[in-house]
Amino acid sequence: MNSPFPQSFSSPGEGHLIVHLRPPSISALSKITFQYPLKLISPSPSANQPSILVFLLTYGGGLVGGDQVYLTIDVLAGARLSIATQGYTKIFKSPERDVITRQHLHVNLYPGAGCCLLPDPVQPFAESVYEQVQDFTLVPDASLCLLDWVSAGRTARGEDWDLWGWTGRNEVWVRGRGGEDGGKKRLLLRDKVVLEGDREGVGNKGLKKKMSGLGVFGTLILKGPLVEDLASFFIDEFTALPRIGAQDFRSQERREQDSGVLLTPRQVWRQARLEQEKEDGLLWSVARVRGCTVVKFGALTVEGGRSWIGSMIKEEKSIGRHFGESATMCIR
Amino acid sequence: MRSEADQSQPQTVEDEIAELERRLEVAKARLAATKTAEETLLPLTPSSPILQTQIPLGASSHHFLLLLADSALPLGSFAFSSGLESYLAHCRRASSFPAFLGLSVSSYASTTLPFVLAAHRNPADLIELDDALDAAIICTVGRRASIAQGRALLSIWDRSFRSALPANPCAATAQVLKDFSALMRPSTSTSSASNELPPASAHLGPLFGAISCLLGMTLEQTAYVFMLSHVKALLSAAVRASIFGPYHAQKVLASASVRHGIDEVVKREWNTKIEDAGQSVPVMDLWIGRHEMLYSRIFNS
């Protein structure tokens, strides 16, 4: 007997999103499919929002040992997509070291398209084994903003990088727009982090030492015209950081004189941020690599990291302008 | 592809012979590389036989092994501290050289060693490996150090090693390096001006692997010498940063923990694919990247 329901195309954990630009210029979903344990929700778009928001969720709020998620996203010409989560992506413990929980995100960005992923951090529980691959293929004028961060686990329960294994790989590929190299992809960036937990019976807390007290570690990858201003902002702020080991040679008199000088709002904000960076043990650096801008940061606590990245992105404002305020909801 | 008429021309036939010979050599090199790879897939023993080959000392491969292991190489490595100087400034009193050494060896092996091994196993892939590594080194300071030392090694190959090699055993692979040098030349003048990706960057890791292969070193020797050179560079940086004196540096270098540490990371990365090479000590990228923020510095990295 034939089933009256349409045939399901996707297998467990698979999903597919297609975003297109609807006239006059509203980004809309033309396809949204997903299978357990993956769940995608998109609040109905309001008329003036610059991008369509999709929540990337999992049933039960996390991935159980051995779960496999494979999500494909196509953002068609001119369309914009922002992806958020509702809380940490929890990675539950695996029954065995060779049971790997996997999440694979495969994104294609077409001419003029933009994709902004600012999710909550991944939270690997003790004895979890996780592998994440996020690859982005874009044409030169498409834009990408990707935040990928991982926490030390359930710190409230005393977990401190007690995972068994965590690997995250982010790749940016560029595809020519026809012509001589049309269709041929070239790797621009491959950012990979491999955290190897301690082997059984070796109780030396090797990974904890490697993380040097950090409670969260993150990478922000920026590429394309929509995020060019944000990228320059990070570079400028990095250049403006006070030198490590520098001393204040000004006299007391001069210092008082200088403190009377009126500061711009940006300088006031920067001073407050630098204070906060010190308090949160926040370390960061930024590099331009083959046309991409990559920010790396670490902080003692997740909240310290969240408030820093949120403050940077909010101060610069262009993400809100290009993708809408809801794109930054996870880093507020 | 070729018509009957073309084949009658002597020039074309000569070209074809040259092409076939080149392919034969590439195939032979690949076979040899696979064989070495197969042999070495066996678990490495802690005392891997770096010098225990049947060839008498004084054979050219030993001569070059000692040259590559010399502390003068990589040329100009004295200018780099691989993050040590920045680490000291960030951790102040909490800093410990042995701890940093362990982290640095682990990090350098997980990010770079797979590229060295891959280039030794198949030198013909040098250009692709160089490009893939260029995409994978995220930190500005780290890229600068890797490229400066890689270019220096390439010049040493061009000016010294190439002509000193006895009978060229593997002309096809030597050709790869020649092509590579040719790619480097235009990039120096134009790459900074345009936004185009350079065709080749000359990172140290893949070049070291390919050149070691040409000089007749085994895969194990190459991996061990590559990691040992890193330890030596760190120790020499530590001496110049006045952490300890040269006698203590020799003591650390001779210690069993350095030897076992290198063996362990070589074993760990032996079968790592280059796509899976990655940073195992994330905070290292922060330290190296923030080197530029130091108020005073004596090293370039």
Side-chain angles (χ1 to χ4, degrees):
Chain A
M1 195 179 90
N2 289 333
S3 160
F5 299 106
Q7 198 190 339
S8 167
F9 291 104
S10 46
S11 48
E14 261 185 38
H16 193 181
L17 267 179
I18 301 178
V19 187
H20 71 283
L21 195 66
R22 208 171 59 190
S25 64
I26 301 164
S27 296
L29 291 169
S30 35
K31 181 178 180 183
I32 175 165
T33 61
F34 53 88
Q35 280 273 317
Y36 175 89
L38 175 69
K39 192 169 173 175
L40 302 167
I41 294 179
S42 181
S44 50
S46 61
N48 54 358
Q49 76 182 34
S51 76
I52 179 120
L53 176 69
V54 173
F55 285 99
L56 175 59
L57 309 170
T58 46
Y59 285 92
L63 293 168
V64 181
D67 275 352
Q68 317 270 322
V69 166
Y70 192 101
L71 175 60
T72 306
I73 299 177
D74 295 297
V75 186
L76 305 184
R80 288 175 199 175
L81 167 73
S82 26
I83 299 236
T85 51
Q86 290 185 325
Y88 294 114
T89 301
K90 303 184 193 94
I91 311 297
F92 293 98
K93 64 171 280 186
S94 279
E96 305 281 342
R97 278 172 192 272
D98 53 4
V99 178
I100 303 171
T101 310
R102 287 195 178 89
Q103 185 145 236
H104 191 144
L105 182 64
H106 177 69
V107 180
N108 289 304
L109 299 177
Y110 292 86
C115 180
C116 175
L117 283 114
L118 293 169
D120 288 286
V122 174
Q123 187 186 38
F125 288 11
E127 302 179 5
S128 63
V129 187
Y130 181 62
E131 189 184 288
Q132 173 182 292
V133 179
Q134 309 190 109
D135 65 82
F136 299 83
T137 305
L138 25 84
V139 290
D141 70 341
S143 301
L144 168 70
C145 168
L146 164 72
L147 173 65
D148 176 28
W149 45 337
V150 54
S151 85
R154 291 170 295 181
T155 40
R157 297 188 51 161
E159 290 181 358
D160 192 3
W161 304 106
D162 291 320
L163 52 92
W164 274 343
W166 194 97
T167 63
R169 184 162 103 203
N170 301 312
E171 293 178 348
V172 179
W173 296 77
V174 71
R175 195 199 302 271
R177 291 184 71 173
E180 42 182 319
D181 57 350
K184 202 180 162 209
K185 293 204 296 182
R186 179 151 181 204
L187 180 67
L188 280 189
L189 186 81
R190 178 179 282 141
D191 165 58
K192 175 146 186 167
V193 170
V194 185
L195 305 178
E196 201 181 325
D198 298 320
R199 288 274 128 205
E200 237 154 332
V202 192
N204 60 1
K205 285 284 195 179
L207 182 58
K208 193 182 157 186
K209 273 187 218 154
K210 279 183 189 170
M211 298 310 290
S212 306
L214 295 182
V216 68
F217 184 83
T219 306
L220 179 75
I221 297 175
L222 303 170
K223 160 96 179 86
L226 291 182
V227 293
E228 190 44 49
D229 288 347
L230 182 61
S232 312
F233 175 76
F234 273 100
I235 305 256
D236 292 345
E237 284 303 318
F238 188 66
T239 323
L241 282 179
R243 305 290 114 166
I244 301 161
Q247 281 177 12
D248 196 347
F249 293 109
R250 292 174 303 172
S251 65
Q252 188 64 34
E253 204 176 291
R254 185 64 207 255
R255 241 179 271 185
E256 275 161 18
Q257 204 183 322
D258 286 354
S259 66
V261 175
L262 212 60
L263 296 175
T264 63
R266 175 61 54 83
Q267 285 170 323
V268 173
W269 167 81
R270 185 179 297 142
Q271 279 189 356
R273 196 202 77 216
L274 290 173
E275 285 299 311
Q276 196 62 39
E277 281 185 13
K278 211 176 275 176
E279 195 175 310
D280 293 326
L282 195 128
L283 294 179
W284 68 286
S285 79
V286 60
R288 283 211 193 258
V289 181
R290 296 157 63 102
C292 305
T293 303
V294 186
V295 180
K296 298 234 168 215
F297 65 96
L300 298 179
T301 62
V302 171
E303 288 323 305
R306 196 196 301 272
S307 82
W308 179 81
I309 192 85
S311 163
M312 293 292 275
I313 288 177
K314 228 162 34 193
E315 173 71 16
E316 200 276 330
K317 295 192 180 77
S318 69
I319 292 291
R321 202 164 57 236
H322 295 309
F323 292 94
E325 290 307 322
S326 51
T328 59
M329 61 195 307
C330 298
I331 50 168
R332 273 193 284 236
Chain B
M1 294 273 285
R2 290 180 200 86
S3 68
E4 292 288 324
D6 279 343
Q7 284 190 2
S8 59
Q9 313 244 335
Q11 181 59 40
T12 327
V13 179
E14 272 171 24
D15 285 353
E16 195 182 341
I17 291 172
E19 166 67 13
L20 286 172
E21 275 174 349
R22 194 188 61 80
R23 279 169 55 191
L24 176 68
E25 260 165 350
V26 171
K28 273 183 180 166
R30 248 198 346 253
L31 181 67
T34 337
K35 273 185 183 157
T36 0
E38 274 167 7
E39 283 162 21
T40 40
L41 278 178
L42 301 167
L44 285 162
T45 49
S47 56
S48 35
I50 301 302
L51 272 170
Q52 292 171 14
T53 42
Q54 297 308 308
I55 315 157
L57 202 67
S60 81
S61 68
H62 275 141
H63 179 70
F64 286 114
L65 170 66
L66 295 172
L67 287 189
L68 280 177
D70 188 89
S71 52
L73 290 183
L75 214 62
S77 65
F78 61 83
F80 305 101
S81 81
S82 307
L84 174 65
E85 193 179 24
S86 179
Y87 165 78
L88 295 173
H90 278 93
C91 297
R92 307 264 174 92
R93 247 159 275 152
S95 64
S96 125
F97 182 80
F100 182 81
L101 182 66
L103 294 182
S104 182
V105 166
S106 170
S107 161
Y108 198 53
S110 68
T111 50
T112 318
L113 194 54
F115 288 90
V116 179
L117 295 171
H120 186 286
R121 286 179 179 136
N122 204 350
D125 292 343
L126 180 63
I127 293 165
E128 289 84 56
L129 289 169
D130 182 67
D131 193 49
L133 183 58
D134 193 59
I137 303 186
I138 305 296
C139 152
T140 320
V141 182
R143 297 169 73 75
R144 213 161 49 207
S146 174
I147 291 175
Q149 298 181 60
R151 290 192 176 180
L153 185 62
L154 190 61
S155 326
I156 294 178
W157 164 259
D158 270 343
R159 292 179 200 170
S160 322
F161 290 171
R162 190 165 48 132
S163 50
L165 259 189
N168 220 337
C170 203
T173 342
Q175 186 60 41
V176 170
L177 275 164
K178 210 171 185 181
D179 296 346
F180 192 88
S181 310
L183 275 182
M184 292 297 304
R185 256 165 241 132
S187 75
T188 45
S189 55
T190 56
S191 73
S192 48
S194 68
N195 226 354
E196 292 286 298
L197 290 184
S201 314
H203 286 282
L204 177 63
L207 274 171
F208 188 88
I211 290 175
S212 303
C213 174
L214 278 172
L215 297 178
M217 290 164 64
T218 68
L219 195 57
E220 280 132 319
Q221 287 171 335
T222 306
Y224 196 91
V225 168
F226 185 73
M227 289 315 298
L228 186 68
S229 297
H230 179 67
V231 174
K232 283 199 288 197
L234 280 179
L235 282 167
S236 114
V239 170
R240 270 163 308 124
S242 316
I243 302 178
F244 43 65
Y247 285 106
H248 186 80
Q250 286 303 314
K251 187 178 159 189
V252 176
L253 193 57
S255 69
S257 68
V258 160
R259 195 152 51 87
H260 292 155
I262 295 178
D263 279 336
E264 201 177 290
V265 293
V266 170
K267 218 184 295 177
R268 190 184 74 193
E269 305 303 337
W270 198 252
N271 295 317
T272 305
K273 290 191 292 232
I274 57 154
E275 295 82 21
D276 294 326
Q279 182 55 269
S280 60
V281 187
V283 71
M284 192 60 77
D285 278 340
L286 296 179
W287 289 328
I288 299 181
R290 290 169 66 86
H291 185 267
E292 285 175 326
M293 299 283 89
L294 301 188
Y295 179 69
S296 60
R297 41 184 198 256
I298 50 178
F299 298 101
N300 281 339
S301 87

